[in-house]
C-alpha cells in the first residue's frame, strides 16, 4: 500500500515537473522585434537581439541559460564609426529596425550573425536610400567591441533575415511594402562582400497589411516561411507558408493562418507578432514575439513593444501550434535556474545603483538618442568624484522641431523603463548654471515629439528681488514641461527659500500607478522637503515603435549664440527601483 502511494506521488511529481509556469514579458521595456537563438555549444545559452531605432549603443544582446533570467551581455552596435549616419537620422521612427540574430558553425568555428537595416523613415518608400541593409558578425557576443564593421548590401526593403542551406549557401529574405516592391523577397548573399544574387518573390503573405519580419526554417523536408502581417499595431499577427520543393517555393499558406495573434481579443497583451522560433535543449519549440501591454484600448503603453515568450508544439510534418500570449503562461519545462557569468550588462529586471566610480566605463545599459557628441558624458573626470558630468547641448530633448537634430546632438543619457511601477532618483549638482535657459533635469523620454521632464532652469525674474548678483536678474526655477500630441502647459515655480543652486538636489520620477508618473525635487539632505511639480499620463507618451527611457539631460534650450558644452553639470547616485509589473 505504502509503496503504491509513493509510486503515485512520484508519477504525479514527474507530471507536474514536466511543465513550467512563467511570466511575460521576458524582456520588459523597449525591446521590440525580438530574434532569438539557442546555441548548445555555447554552454547551452539562449541569445536574443532586439530593435533599437535611434538609441545608441544599439541592438542590445541578451543572454539566458534558463529562459527566465535575461542578462544584457552587450550591444552589437557600440562604435559610432560603424554607422555614422545614425547621427543625422530624421524622424523618431528611423534608425535600426528588426535585427535577425543567427549562429553558424563552420569547421568547428562558430560565428554570430546579425542582418538588419538602418532606416531613413522620412524618405519615400520607393527611394532605395531609405534602406541601408547590412550584416555584422562576431565570434564573441559577450564583448560589444568585437562585432565587425557592417558589410552593406543593396535591398530596397527591411527586416532582412539570413538562412543557411545545408550545403552552406546563404540566403537573405526581406520585406517591402506591397505597393512598391511585392511582398517578401529572397536572394543568395555573399556575407564577405554583400553581393546578392537575383531577387525572387516567394510569398506575399495572406493579403493583410505589411507582410514583414520574414524568417525561414527548414524542418522535415519543408521550408517554412514565417511572417508578421497586419502592421505592428492591434491587427498584428503571425502567418506561415511552406514549400516542399525547395527554398524558392511554391509556398502554400497554412490553412489555419494566422497561427498566432491577439487581434480582436480583450487580452491585456496586444499587438502580438513579429515572431522567431527556436528549440531548447530538450528539443521543445518556443517562439518569441513582440507585444504591448496595452489592452485593446491601446492607449497606455509607454514601454512600447516588449519581448514575450510562448511555447510551440511542432510535430513532424505539421504546422507549428503556438500558445496564445498572456502574462502567465504554462508550457514546456524550463531549464533549471542558472545565471550567465559572462557579459558586462545587468539582468533586464535589475535595479540600478550607479555611482560612476573614477575610471569605470559608462554602464552597458545606458543609451543616448542617436550618436553621442564627443566628450559629452564624462565619468568622474578630475575634480569630480563618483559623478557623471554632462556637457550641455544647444538643443533640448525636442531638438529643432520634434523631428531632427541635424547631427547637433542632444545631451541625454537614459535607461529603459522596464517596469510599470518604478522610482528613478538622481542627485544633481546645478551650481554651474549661469545664463538664461541653462537647464538640467530628468526626463521620461519616448522620442523627440513625446517626452516629459522636470528641470532646474535659470529664468529671468519679473520680480524686483533679483538673484544675488544685482546686474543679472536670473533666478533658478523648477520647470515641469512636456510635449505630446495634446498640449501640455508648463509649470514654472521659483526655487523654494530653503534651497539655492549650491544645494545638492535630488530629483525623482515615479510611476506610482499603471497610468501616471509624478516628478519631484528637493534638497538631497532633507528628502522630507521634496515637492512634486508635475504629473504625466502614460497615454501621453505612448506612440510609435519605441519605449520610454528615463535619465538626465542638460541644455541651453537653443539660446542664441550658445554652443554645445556651454556649461557642465554633474549628477550621481543614479537609482532605479523596480516596483511592479502589471501583467493582466
Ligand atoms: C562555458 O562556461 C565556462 C564556465 O563559466 C567558461 O569557462 C567557458 O568559457 C564557457 N564557454 C563558452 C563557449 O561560452
Ligand atoms: C532631415 O530633415 C531636415 C529638415 O527637414 C532636412 O534639412 C535634412 O536634409 C534631412 N536630412 C536627411 C538626411 O534627409
Ligand atoms: C533619395 O533620397 C536621397 C537622400 O535624400 C536623395 O539624395 C535622392 O535624390 C533621392 N532619390 C530619389 C530617386 O528620389
Ligand atoms: C505578389 O504580389 C505581386 C503584385 O501584386 C504579384 O505580381 C506577385 O505575383 C505576387 N507574388 C506571389 C508569390 O504571389
Ligand atoms: C487563441 O486565441 C484565439 C483568438 O485569437 C482563439 O480563437 C483561440 O481559441 C485561442 N486558443 C486557445 C487555446 O485559447
Ligand atoms: C479582426 O477584426 C477585423 C474586423 O472585423 C478583421 O478585419 C480582421 O481580419 C480581424 N483580425 C484577425 C487577426 O482576426
Ligand atoms: C506542456 O506544455 C506543452 C507546450 O505548451 C503542451 O503542449 C502540453 O500540453 C503541456 N502538458 C501538460 C501536461 O500540461
Ligand atoms: C493623441 O494620441 C492618442 C493615442 O494615440 C489618440 O487617442 C488621441 O486622439 C490623440 N490626440 C490628438 C489631439 O491627436
Ligand atoms: C557642485 O559642484 C561644484 C563643482 O562644479 C563643487 O564645487 C560643489 O562643491 C558641488 N556641490 C555640492 C553640493 O556637492
Ligand atoms: C493613477 O493615479 C491617478 C491620480 O491619482 C488617477 O487619476 C488614476 O486613475 C490612477 N490610475 C489607475 C490605473 O489607478
Ligand atoms: C526646446 O528648445 C526650443 C528652442 O530650440 C524651444 O523653442 C522649445 O520651447 C524647447 N521646448 C522643449 C519642450 O524642450
Ligand atoms: C551620493 O550620495 C551621498 C550620500 O547622500 C553623497 O554624499 C554624495 O555626494 C552623492 N554623490 C553625488 C555625486 O551626488
Amino acid at each position: 500500500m505504502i509503496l503504491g502511494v509513493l509510486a503515485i506521488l512520484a508519477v504525479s511529481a514527474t507530471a507536474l515537473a514536466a511543465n513550467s509556469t512563467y511570466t511575460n514579458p521576458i524582456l520588459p521595456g523597449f525591446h521590440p522585434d525580438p530574434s532569438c537563438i539557442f546555441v548548445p555549444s555555447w554552454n547551452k545559452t539562449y541569445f536574443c537581439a532586439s530593435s533599437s531605432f535611434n538609441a545608441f549603443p544599439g541592438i542590445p544582446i541578451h543572454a539566458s541559460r534558463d529562459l527566465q533570467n535575461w542578462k544584457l551581455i552587450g550591444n552589437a552596435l557600440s562604435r559610432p564609426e560603424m554607422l555614422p549616419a545614425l547621427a543625422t537620422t530624421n524622424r523618431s521612427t528611423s534608425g535600426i529596425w528588426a535585427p535577425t540574430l543567427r549562429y553558424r558553425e563552420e569547421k568547428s568555428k562558430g560565428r554570430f550573425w546579425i542582418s538588419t537595416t538602418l532606416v531613413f523613415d522620412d524618405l519615400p518608400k520607393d527611394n532605395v536610400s531609405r534602406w541601408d541593409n547590412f550584416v555584422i558578425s562576431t565570434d564573441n557576443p559577450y564583448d560589444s567591441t568585437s562585432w565587425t564593421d557592417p558589410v552593406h548590401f543593396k535591398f530596397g526593403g527591411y527586416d532582412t533575415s539570413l538562412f543557411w542551406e545545408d550545403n552552406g549557401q546563404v540566403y537573405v529574405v526581406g520585406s517591402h511594402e506591397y505597393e512598391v516592391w511585392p511582398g517578401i523577397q529572397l536572394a543568395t548573399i555573399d556575407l564577405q562582400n554583400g553581393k546578392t544574387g537575383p531577387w525572387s518573390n516567394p510569398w506575399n503573405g495572406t493579403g493583410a497589411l505589411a507582410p514583414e519580419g520574414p524568417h525561414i526554417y527548414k524542418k522535415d523536408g519543408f521550408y517554412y516561411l514565417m511572417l508578421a502581417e497586419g502592421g505592428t499595431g492591434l491587427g498584428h499577427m503571425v502567418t506561415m507558408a511552406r514549400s516542399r520543393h525547395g527554398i524558392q517555393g511554391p509556398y502554400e499558406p497554412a490553412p489555419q493562418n494566422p497561427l498566432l495573434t491577439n487581434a480582436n481579443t480583450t487580452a491585456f497583451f496586444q499587438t502580438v507578432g513579429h515572431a522567431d522560433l527556436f528549440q531548447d535543449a530538450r528539443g521543445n519549440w518556443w517562439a518569441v514575439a513582440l507585444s504591448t501591454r496595452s489592452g485593446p484600448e491601446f492607449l497606455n503603453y509607454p514601454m512600447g513593444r516588449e519581448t514575450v515568450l510562448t511555447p510551440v508544439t511542432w510535430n513532424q510534418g505539421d504546422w507549428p501550434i503556438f500558445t496564445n500570449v498572456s502574462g502567465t503562461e504554462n508550457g514546456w519545462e524550463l531549464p533549471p535556474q542558472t545565471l550567465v557569468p559572462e557579459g558586462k550588462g545587468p539582468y533586464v529586471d535589475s535595479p540600478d545603483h550607479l555611482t560612476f566610480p573614477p575610471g569605470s566605463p559608462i554602464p552597458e545599459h545606458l543609451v543616448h538618442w542617436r550618436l553621442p557628441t564627443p566628450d559629452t558624458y564624462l565619468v568622474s573626470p578630475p575634480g569630480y568624484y563618483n559623478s557623471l558630468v554632462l556637457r550641455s547641448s544647444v538643443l533640448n530633448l525636442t531638438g529643432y522641431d520634434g523631428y531632427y537634430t541635424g547631427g547637433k546632438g542632444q545631451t541625454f543619457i537614459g535607461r529603459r523603463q522596464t517596469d510599470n511601477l518604478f522610482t528613478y532618483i538622481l542627485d544633481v549638482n546645478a551650481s554651474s548654471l549661469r545664463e538664461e535657459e541653462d537647464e538640467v533635469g530628468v526626463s521620461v523620454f519616448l522620442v523627440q515629439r513625446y517626452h516629459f521632464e522636470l528641470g532646474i532652469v535659470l529664468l529671468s525674474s519679473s520680480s524686483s528681488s533679483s538673484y544675488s548678483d544685482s546686474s543679472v536678474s536670473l533666478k533658478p526655477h523648477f520647470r515641469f514641461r512636456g510635449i505630446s500630441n495634446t498640449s501640455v502647459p508648463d509649470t514654472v515655480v521659483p526655487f523654494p527659500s530653503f534651497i539655492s543652486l549650491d544645494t545638492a538636489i535630488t530629483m525623482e520620477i515615479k510611476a506610482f500607478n499603471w497610468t501616471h508618473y509624478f516628478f519631484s525635487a528637493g534638497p538631497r539632505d532633507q528628502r522630507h522637503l521634496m515637492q512634486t511639480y508635475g504629473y504625466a499620463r502614460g497615454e501621453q507618451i505612448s506612440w510609435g515603435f519605441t519605449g520610454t527611457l528615463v535619465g538626465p539631460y542638460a541644455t541651453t534650450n537653443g539660446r542664441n549664440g550658445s554652443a554645445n558644452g556651454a556649461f557642465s553639470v554633474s549628477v550621481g547616485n543614479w537609482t532605479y527601483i523596480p516596483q511592479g509589473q502589471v501583467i493582466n
Side-chain angles (χ1 to χ4, degrees):
M1 267 317 270
I2 287 169
L3 275 178
V5 170
L6 281 179
I8 288 162
L9 281 177
V11 166
S12 59
T14 323
L16 284 176
N19 272 18
S20 315
T21 299
Y22 66 93
T23 57
N24 274 318
I26 56 162
L27 297 179
F30 170 23
H31 297 109
D33 308 319
S35 174
C36 304
I37 52 176
F38 174 54
V39 186
S41 57
W42 279 62
N43 286 329
K44 297 187 183 169
T45 306
Y46 303 85
F47 296 91
C48 294
S50 49
S51 293
S52 48
F53 292 85
N54 286 312
F56 183 88
I59 316 183
I61 307 291
H62 287 85
S64 176
R65 301 246 158 98
D66 55 17
L67 290 171
Q68 298 157 82
N69 295 291
W70 290 91
K71 187 182 188 183
L72 179 72
I73 57 155
N75 294 290
L77 195 58
S78 69
R79 300 184 305 277
E81 315 79 71
M82 288 169 88
L83 286 181
L86 189 56
T88 52
T89 52
N90 280 332
R91 206 171 261 193
S92 306
T93 49
S94 290
I96 296 292
W97 287 21
T100 298
L101 179 63
R102 293 293 180 255
Y103 177 77
R104 175 77 181 168
E105 244 163 51
E106 255 156 45
K107 300 184 189 109
S108 80
K109 274 202 166 168
R111 274 197 96 68
F112 293 78
W113 293 90
I114 283 174
S115 54
T116 187
T117 319
L118 173 60
V119 180
F120 302 91
D121 204 23
D122 56 319
L123 295 181
K125 286 175 181 166
D126 60 355
N127 184 335
V128 74
S129 306
R130 178 186 163 100
W131 319 102
D132 176 6
N133 279 286
F134 62 91
V135 294
I136 52 178
S137 68
T138 180
D139 59 6
N140 182 12
Y142 296 114
D143 176 6
S144 294
T145 65
S146 70
W147 289 87
T148 60
D149 283 332
V151 173
H152 300 268
F153 63 94
K154 275 210 184 98
F155 175 55
Y158 60 102
D159 286 5
T160 47
S161 175
L162 300 176
F163 174 78
W164 278 259
E165 247 316 358
D166 298 334
N167 65 8
Q169 175 64 60
V170 192
Y171 287 83
V172 60
V173 60
S175 65
H176 199 298
E177 266 113 336
Y178 218 94
E179 319 86 76
V180 186
W181 184 305
I184 304 306
Q185 300 279 320
L186 174 73
T188 57
I189 183 168
D190 181 335
L191 295 174
Q192 302 311 313
N193 57 25
K195 282 210 173 97
T196 50
W199 291 92
S200 62
N201 170 217
W203 194 35
N204 288 334
T206 62
L209 188 72
E212 58 191 13
H215 295 307
I216 292 175
Y217 309 90
K218 192 174 181 184
K219 186 175 182 295
D220 313 322
F222 287 99
Y223 294 82
Y224 287 86
L225 175 54
M226 185 167 72
L227 303 188
E229 287 191 67
T232 192
L234 289 178
H236 212 198
M237 55 191 177
V238 176
T239 60
M240 223 180 203
R242 69 182 182 185
S243 159
R244 194 191 288 278
H245 306 291
I247 195 167
Q248 296 292 352
Y251 281 84
E252 285 170 41
Q256 65 274 46
N257 274 328
L259 298 188
L260 178 67
T261 187
N262 273 356
N264 301 327
T265 70
T266 57
F268 186 55
F269 285 73
Q270 288 287 331
T271 75
V272 174
H274 201 116
D276 198 2
L277 287 161
F278 59 89
Q279 268 172 300
D280 66 17
R282 293 186 178 83
N284 291 320
W285 286 90
W286 297 87
V288 284
L290 71 81
S291 177
T292 39
R293 284 182 281 169
S294 58
E297 306 80 22
F298 204 50
L299 291 172
N300 183 60
Y301 53 95
M303 290 186 281
R305 303 174 306 151
E306 310 176 287
T307 295
V308 295
L309 177 74
T310 201
V312 173
T313 302
W314 199 352
N315 295 325
Q316 186 167 359
D318 285 350
W319 298 95
I321 300 163
F322 292 72
T323 310
N324 285 339
V325 169
S326 57
T328 306
E329 292 209 37
N330 296 300
W332 306 121
E333 185 180 354
L334 292 166
Q337 288 224 359
T338 323
L339 299 185
V340 176
E342 302 89 348
K344 296 197 188 81
Y347 282 90
V348 72
D349 55 356
S350 300
D352 280 344
H353 295 287
L354 307 180
T355 56
F356 309 101
S360 64
I362 289 181
E364 205 94 356
H365 64 300
L366 304 191
V367 297
H368 311 287
W369 199 239
R370 302 198 180 86
L371 299 183
T373 52
D375 304 320
T376 301
Y377 309 90
L378 309 171
V379 173
S380 296
Y384 295 88
Y385 183 69
N386 284 3
S387 304
L388 181 66
V389 174
L390 307 176
R391 294 171 76 245
S392 61
S393 54
V394 175
L395 299 181
N396 57 32
L397 294 175
T398 304
Y400 281 115
D401 57 1
Y403 179 74
Y404 79 116
T405 61
K408 267 206 158 155
Q410 298 164 294
T411 299
F412 171 74
I413 182 166
R415 58 154 288 145
R416 287 163 170 83
Q417 178 186 345
T418 47
D419 304 84
N420 297 97
L421 309 182
F422 74 90
T423 301
Y424 175 75
I425 305 166
L426 190 71
D427 289 347
V428 175
N429 178 336
S431 64
S432 56
L433 303 192
R434 285 288 173 272
E435 296 192 46
E436 185 156 24
E437 290 289 347
D438 281 1
E439 177 173 355
V440 57
V442 289
S443 180
V444 178
F445 179 87
L446 179 71
V447 293
Q448 285 170 214
R449 259 310 260 109
Y450 292 83
H451 55 87
F452 283 86
E453 48 272 338
L454 178 60
I456 298 167
V457 59
L458 283 184
L459 297 173
S460 54
S461 175
S462 49
S463 90
S464 54
S465 63
S466 61
Y467 184 62
S468 57
D469 178 355
S470 58
S471 62
V472 188
S473 62
L474 291 176
K475 280 190 154 190
H477 291 74
F478 285 116
R479 178 166 66 190
F480 174 74
R481 63 177 177 172
I483 165 166
S484 178
N485 70 343
T486 50
S487 74
V488 180
D490 291 5
T491 304
V492 184
V493 181
F495 266 17
S497 59
F498 49 83
I499 50 175
S500 75
L501 279 186
D502 292 325
T503 312
I505 295 171
T506 291
M507 305 190 83
E508 180 177 305
I509 301 173
K510 191 182 187 79
F512 63 95
N513 68 16
W514 182 55
T515 54
H516 285 66
Y517 301 80
F518 70 60
F519 295 69
S520 317
R524 181 191 72 200
D525 299 329
Q526 290 166 284
R527 295 260 175 115
H528 61 280
L529 294 176
M530 285 184 70
Q531 295 182 20
T532 295
Y533 294 96
Y535 289 86
R537 285 179 287 119
E539 214 177 286
Q540 294 171 294
I541 35 176
S542 299
W543 177 85
F545 298 158
T546 62
T548 41
L549 306 169
V550 292
Y553 63 93
T555 179
T556 52
N557 283 298
R559 191 180 61 238
N560 218 357
S562 68
N564 281 350
F567 68 92
S568 294
V569 285
S570 64
V571 301
N573 293 314
W574 170 303
T575 306
Y576 174 96
I577 308 165
Q579 291 170 315
Q581 299 287 14
V582 179
I583 60 167
N584 55 39

